[in-house]
Amino acid sequence: MKTFLKILLTAVAVIVLANILPGISVAGYVSAIIVAVVISLLNMIVRPLLIFFTLPATIVTFGLFIFVINAIIILLADKLVDGFAVSGFWAALFFSILLSIFRSALFSLLKDDRKQLN
């Protein structure tokens, strides 16, 4: 259930960011949900491989190369989903940064508050 909510919240973030940022477009709500699923799958499968193979560049840049990897993930999602378009690398970079911020804020709402017994 939580995974489904996270995908829906990511789709909402994709729609909001597509309306805010120039160079990003989403055809509709279904496309946004597909983009959220594809980004989640790419983050689970492709991102660890990219991080492993670019580890020296990540170390030299003190971790800033992770932003480039996130932009590559967004560009891959652009190629895989028909209703999602990204105009270029810089748009993908800004989109990935803002998407990470939005997802962090939205996912913090899903954390369950468990009361500790004292």
Side-chain angles (χ1 to χ4, degrees):
M1 183 68 178
K2 243 185 187 180
T3 305
F4 183 68
L5 285 174
K6 284 183 177 185
I7 288 174
L8 286 179
L9 288 176
T10 302
V12 168
V14 166
I15 290 171
V16 168
L17 289 175
N19 289 329
I20 293 173
L21 291 175
I24 308 290
S25 64
V26 177
Y29 297 112
V30 175
S31 295
I33 292 172
I34 293 171
V35 167
V37 170
V38 167
I39 288 174
S40 297
L41 289 173
L42 289 173
N43 279 335
M44 285 189 321
I45 299 167
V46 177
R47 190 170 188 259
L49 293 172
L50 287 175
I51 289 174
F52 177 74
F53 288 123
T54 61
L55 192 59
T58 304
I59 291 171
V60 168
T61 62
F62 299 111
L64 292 177
F65 196 75
I66 299 292
F67 290 123
V68 174
I69 292 173
N70 290 341
I72 290 170
I73 295 292
I74 299 300
L75 290 172
L76 283 172
D78 171 33
K79 299 297 181 200
L80 294 173
V81 180
D82 287 334
F84 180 60
V86 179
S87 64
F89 175 78
W90 293 108
L93 182 68
F94 292 135
F95 181 79
S96 68
I97 291 170
L98 291 176
L99 184 65
S100 297
I101 293 169
F102 271 56
R103 286 178 67 179
S104 296
L106 292 173
F107 290 174
S108 68
L109 300 173
L110 291 179
K111 289 185 179 177
D112 48 351
D113 299 323
R114 297 183 185 201
K115 295 181 181 179
Q116 296 179 358
L117 298 172
N118 291 328

